[in-house]
């Protein structure tokens, strides 16, 4: 089964069923509500990245494994074209994962685009480190309750085990290139 053949909700439903798990059990293990899982699996809502990560943790998959094409004997790509990047963002935040088709890798790299007024929303927290550079625009980085306004050309380095979020409070698009280790995507 190739991940790109099915909608994300349908794929999540199949993963849950393959593990012999009810929606209620998946909700219990992920910390989500039964109704949230039901609406996601029916593709009525697109899950936030943090929600998707919670579910995938229960199913034992990373984001890149979830979105990767499962071809037998697939040789990892050296050159990845723009249309081959894997979109894992939502709600005005585009996060395109640079992925060569291998199920495991040590570093994840993202091309991020924040529309004016968009935000990652809730505070994100996961094991590892993240470094990034603003290529264009402005972003407000919140780390452990402290605000760090950043402009194009500035970079950041954070411990992602500390709650953090990104918000574009400007009227212009913001673009960031970021790298994450260990790979949680």
């Amino acid at each position: 089964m190739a991940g790109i053949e099915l909608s994300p909700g349908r794929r999540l439903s199949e993963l849950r069923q393959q593990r012999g798990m009810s929606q209620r059990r998946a909700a219990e293990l992920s910390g989500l509500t039964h109704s949230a899982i039901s609406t996601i699996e029916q593709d009525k809502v697109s899950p936030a990245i943090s929600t998707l990560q919670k579910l995938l943790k229960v199913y034992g998959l990373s984001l890149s494994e979830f979105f990767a094409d499962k071809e037998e004997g697939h040789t990892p790509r050296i050159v990845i074209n723009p249309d081959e990047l894997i979109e894992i963002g939502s709600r005005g935040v585009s996060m395109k994962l640079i992925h060569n088709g291998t199920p495991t890798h040590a570093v994840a790299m993202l091309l991020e685009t924040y529309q004016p007024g968009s935000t990652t929303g809730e505070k994100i927290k996961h094991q590892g480190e993240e470094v990034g550079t603003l290529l264009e625009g402005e972003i407000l980085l919140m780390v452990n309750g402290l605000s760090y306004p950043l402009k194009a050309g500035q970079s950041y380095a954070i411990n992602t085990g500390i709650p953090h979020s990104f918000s574009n409070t400007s009227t212009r698009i913001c673009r960031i290139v970021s790298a994450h280790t260990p790979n949680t995507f």
Side-chain angles (χ1 to χ4, degrees):
M1 161 180 62
I4 47 183
E5 292 177 6
L6 298 175
S7 66
R10 182 90 191 273
R11 176 118 163 83
L12 287 167
S13 176
E14 285 196 7
L15 288 169
R16 178 183 52 74
Q17 291 173 32
Q18 287 171 357
R19 286 153 179 79
M21 194 179 297
S22 69
Q23 286 183 342
R24 291 196 189 283
R25 181 67 178 150
E28 179 183 304
L29 293 172
S30 65
L32 301 171
T33 65
H34 172 256
S35 63
I37 291 177
S38 177
T39 56
I40 289 168
E41 287 186 0
Q42 294 174 41
D43 287 312
K44 291 182 179 177
V45 297
S46 181
I49 295 168
S50 58
T51 300
L52 187 54
Q53 285 179 312
K54 288 176 185 176
L55 279 172
L56 293 177
K57 185 174 183 179
V58 169
Y59 304 148
L61 293 174
S62 69
L63 283 168
S64 59
E65 289 170 317
F66 178 72
F67 287 108
D69 193 6
K70 307 283 188 207
E71 293 179 20
E72 289 296 320
H74 181 278
T75 302
R77 291 183 305 272
I78 302 298
V79 176
I80 298 100
N81 295 312
D83 63 339
E84 296 173 316
L85 301 179
I86 301 170
E87 178 62 63
I88 60 173
S90 64
R91 301 180 189 146
V93 177
S94 170
M95 294 188 169
K96 293 186 177 184
L97 178 65
I98 300 169
H99 193 274
N100 70 349
T102 59
T104 59
H105 47 278
V107 176
M109 188 131 195
L110 296 173
L111 295 177
E112 305 175 38
T113 303
Y114 293 79
Q115 296 298 321
S118 65
T119 180
T120 56
E122 63 189 71
K123 302 284 188 265
I124 304 165
K125 182 179 175 184
H126 51 91
Q127 175 189 354
E129 294 177 83
E130 175 179 340
V131 296
T133 298
L134 275 71
L135 303 174
E136 174 184 350
E138 301 173 8
I139 201 87
L140 181 62
L141 170 60
M142 296 287 292
V143 179
N144 210 24
L146 299 174
S147 300
Y148 299 91
L150 301 169
K151 295 181 181 182
Q154 290 185 302
S155 299
Y156 63 89
I158 60 174
N159 172 346
T160 56
I162 299 171
H164 59 284
S165 65
F166 296 85
S167 300
N168 182 354
T169 58
S170 77
T171 58
R172 294 185 37 213
I173 286 178
C174 176
R175 296 186 201 286
I176 299 173
V177 61
S178 64
H180 309 252
T181 187
N183 173 30
T184 55
F185 298 106

